Amino acid sequence: MNEYDTEILKSILGSGFLFTTDPGEADIVLLNTCSVRENAERKVFARIYQLKHENPGLRIGILGCMASHFKDKLFEQKSLPVDFVAGPDSYRQLPEMLARSQDSGFDVTLSEFETYENIFPFREKGVNAWIAIMRGCNNFCSFCIVPYTRGRERSRSPQSILQETQQLVRDGFCQVTLLGQNVNSYRYEDTGFPALLKKISRVEGLKRIRFTSPHPKDFPSELLTVIADNPGICKHIHLPLQAGSDRILKKMRRKYTRQQYFDLVGKIRDVCPEMVLTTDIIVGFPTESDTEFWDTVDVVETVQFDSAFIFKYSPREGTAAAKNYPDDIPETVKTERIIQLNGLQKNISLTKNRAHIGETHQVLIEALETKKSKADVQGRNDGNKLVILTNNDYRLGDMLNVRITGATAHVLKGITE
Ligand code: 5AD
Ligand code: SF4
């Protein structure tokens, strides 16, 4: 979402500014920030001091969720060298803020309406394009700061999303990823998420459609049918579990039980057995006992996710959990639990990935080198798994039939047929 917001920002700032990726060349540095976990915020603070140390004359702006989270504090704390603060709904104000040459600027008002619908983001040429179909969230999961930093849920019109998708195809993109805090809540007049997805799947020239994330509490059967019936919609669902114990799920205000989660997974696999499932999990939520942690382990063992992002709980100021429950699980216990769960998931991912050896997957090439080698290219299969193969004059956006010859817990390796 932040990468996409940065593209919107670049478009809003437009031709009045020159962009650079080298902070040493910049007069102004804007940090587009995330507040979802404490660690993300810590990194931003460290970065501000580092930037200012390297160039005391630099003007620095904090954008995004940390702007909303710290509101007046950021500005009042004169010790923090920040000149601009703009929340996720205030980006239209930025050109004016930055133009006031020596002054500082501040706007963190959250809007009920802002979707940046009429702004065409400034995207680098590539394979994948993000499109936020909605902004904000109304769910108020007790651990989560997003409803406070990004405000209430609002959806963008299907017409504008379709027009943008058509334009993206003309610009050479072949995949779109639809973004929303809970895409199942997407609604614009009569159009819900399954209908939107169906409309987008008819855009000619688009090779792949992805979306993230649906909430397990309100996953409609119609959505499953739309995914299963349309070859262009990738067979991958990111379905955040968060916890496997009913008592903890209730305290998290997730609005589903472990049995309902199992039932949903069963339904998904009945309709589409090859669906790749990934998830998010939090360990060490306040009062989580050993037995309740093992309930989460049990769900992970039973569901056999393809991969999982596992986080230690960190209290976020202003959320119901931070207000009502002391952060009482010791750091050492959180660490033990995350190590345990990551170890288990790694084995599951490895077993699942190895089972692909010998199969042929369609791979969309996304990068013409890998972190480790300039002689290799990388892409993703339909299920969003990374696939690496030796370069053979391939181009970005090539869709190749790749026979899988090797696997680790994180990547597949293959050769073209
Ligand atoms: N502590 C730890 N993890 C969190 N997440 C959200 N809020 C917190 C928190 N307070 C995780 C959830 C969510 C993902 C984006 O971040 O798992 O799905
Ligand atoms: Fe946060 Fe819950 Fe909304 Fe996801 S659904 S953004 S976890 S409040």
Side-chain angles (χ1 to χ4, degrees):
M1 191 64 100
N2 271 5
E3 277 183 35
Y4 171 78
D5 274 7
T6 300
E7 292 168 351
I8 291 201
L9 268 157
K10 279 189 167 175
S11 172
I12 291 175
L13 290 172
S15 53
F17 298 86
L18 283 176
F19 299 104
T20 171
T21 48
D22 174 6
E25 269 184 3
D27 303 308
I28 301 174
V29 170
L30 302 174
L31 296 163
N32 198 0
T33 62
C34 170
S35 287
V36 79
R37 287 174 300 275
E38 202 180 348
N39 232 349
E41 288 186 343
R42 227 180 274 141
K43 280 189 207 157
V44 173
F45 284 125
R47 189 91 176 100
I48 293 172
Y49 287 112
Q50 183 204 355
L51 284 165
K52 206 65 186 181
H53 175 74
E54 284 165 5
N55 178 1
L58 196 66
R59 298 163 84 209
I60 298 181
I62 295 223
L63 316 178
C65 286
M66 275 176 79
S68 316
H69 182 193
F70 289 100
K71 291 204 177 76
D72 351 73
K73 255 194 247 166
L74 272 178
F75 245 16
E76 279 164 11
Q77 257 179 333
K78 291 279 180 252
S79 58
L80 200 67
V82 171
D83 303 277
F84 311 101
V85 180
D89 291 341
S90 306
Y91 298 150
R92 289 182 203 264
Q93 270 63 271
L94 259 183
E96 209 186 303
M97 268 191 211
L98 302 192
R100 282 187 248 126
S101 59
Q102 288 314 317
D103 291 352
S104 34
F106 180 86
D107 193 333
V108 291
T109 325
L110 290 174
S111 154
E112 280 175 44
F113 310 104
E114 181 62 271
T115 58
Y116 298 110
E117 173 163 315
N118 59 346
I119 303 220
F120 193 81
F122 178 91
R123 297 177 173 96
E124 300 291 341
K125 292 263 172 274
V127 173
N128 176 71
W130 312 105
I131 304 185
I133 57 168
M134 58 189 301
R135 298 177 75 86
C137 184
N138 288 355
N139 286 313
F140 290 93
C141 301
S142 65
F143 54 79
C144 183
I145 200 168
V146 168
Y148 305 92
T149 55
R150 287 193 164 259
R152 293 294 69 74
E153 222 165 71
R154 59 223 109 108
S155 297
R156 210 181 130 173
S157 75
Q159 293 83 343
S160 76
I161 298 169
L162 270 172
Q163 273 165 13
E164 185 161 330
T165 309
Q166 284 154 351
Q167 184 58 48
L168 286 168
V169 172
R170 287 196 286 274
D171 291 346
F173 290 90
C174 45
Q175 171 177 296
V176 292
T177 304
L178 308 177
L179 301 172
Q181 307 299 340
N182 172 14
V183 290
N184 290 343
S185 305
Y186 175 87
R187 176 144 295 277
Y188 192 94
E189 293 168 355
D190 296 338
T191 310
F193 186 57
L196 176 73
L197 211 45
K198 215 192 263 179
K199 282 183 201 205
I200 295 179
S201 72
R202 294 197 200 107
V203 173
E204 225 165 288
L206 195 58
K207 292 183 185 158
R208 278 184 174 168
I209 303 161
R210 300 189 184 280
F211 61 87
T212 191
S213 298
H215 194 302
K217 79 179 162 67
D218 49 12
F219 200 105
S221 303
E222 197 194 343
L223 177 56
L224 259 184
T225 328
V226 173
I227 302 171
D229 290 350
N230 285 282
I233 305 175
C234 292
K235 307 294 177 269
H236 166 219
I237 298 177
H238 185 69
L239 198 63
L241 164 70
Q242 311 299 5
S245 134
D246 281 342
R247 193 184 69 91
I248 297 295
L249 282 171
K250 195 157 191 194
K251 274 177 108 77
M252 287 179 162
R253 297 194 185 152
R254 289 292 289 175
K255 303 189 186 98
Y256 52 85
T257 61
R258 73 190 257 122
Q259 189 54 51
Q260 283 167 331
Y261 192 91
F262 282 141
D263 292 347
L264 177 57
V265 170
K267 199 163 94 178
I268 293 171
R269 289 189 168 145
D270 279 348
V271 176
C272 192
E274 78 271 27
M275 192 76 83
V276 167
L277 288 180
T278 56
T279 200
D280 289 347
I281 293 170
I282 299 176
V283 296
F285 187 80
T287 74
E288 182 187 62
S289 68
D290 278 343
T291 323
E292 286 162 339
F293 166 66
W294 283 100
D295 286 339
T296 304
V297 172
D298 179 60
V299 177
V300 170
E301 265 172 349
T302 309
V303 172
Q304 301 273 306
F305 295 105
D306 288 84
S307 65
F309 296 106
I310 304 166
F311 308 107
K312 291 183 196 174
Y313 170 75
S314 61
R316 308 284 54 222
E317 196 186 357
T319 60
K323 277 190 220 150
N324 300 326
Y325 314 128
D327 181 20
D328 61 354
I329 306 299
E331 187 58 26
T332 47
V333 175
K334 288 181 187 170
T335 305
E336 274 167 29
R337 290 181 183 171
I338 202 168
I339 290 174
Q340 173 84 35
L341 214 45
N342 270 326
L344 169 64
Q345 183 55 50
K346 198 172 167 197
N347 283 337
I348 296 172
S349 300
L350 183 61
T351 308
K352 293 206 117 185
N353 284 351
R354 280 191 179 148
H356 292 308
I357 294 176
E359 292 174 356
T360 298
H361 292 190
Q362 284 215 302
V363 175
L364 182 62
I365 300 301
E366 290 178 357
L368 295 180
E369 58 183 51
T370 66
K371 261 191 214 156
K372 288 196 185 146
S373 165
K374 283 196 169 19
D376 290 339
V377 294
Q378 72 180 41
R380 284 180 192 269
N381 69 6
D382 192 276
N384 209 29
K385 291 190 182 177
L386 207 57
V387 184
I388 291 181
L389 57 151
T390 309
N391 197 353
N392 191 4
D393 270 341
Y394 301 128
R395 283 164 310 175
L396 290 179
D398 279 352
M399 185 76 98
L400 307 172
N401 281 329
V402 176
R403 189 152 52 81
I404 305 301
T405 54
T408 70
H410 305 292
V411 290
L412 302 174
K413 291 187 183 132
I415 47 173
T416 40
E417 295 211 303

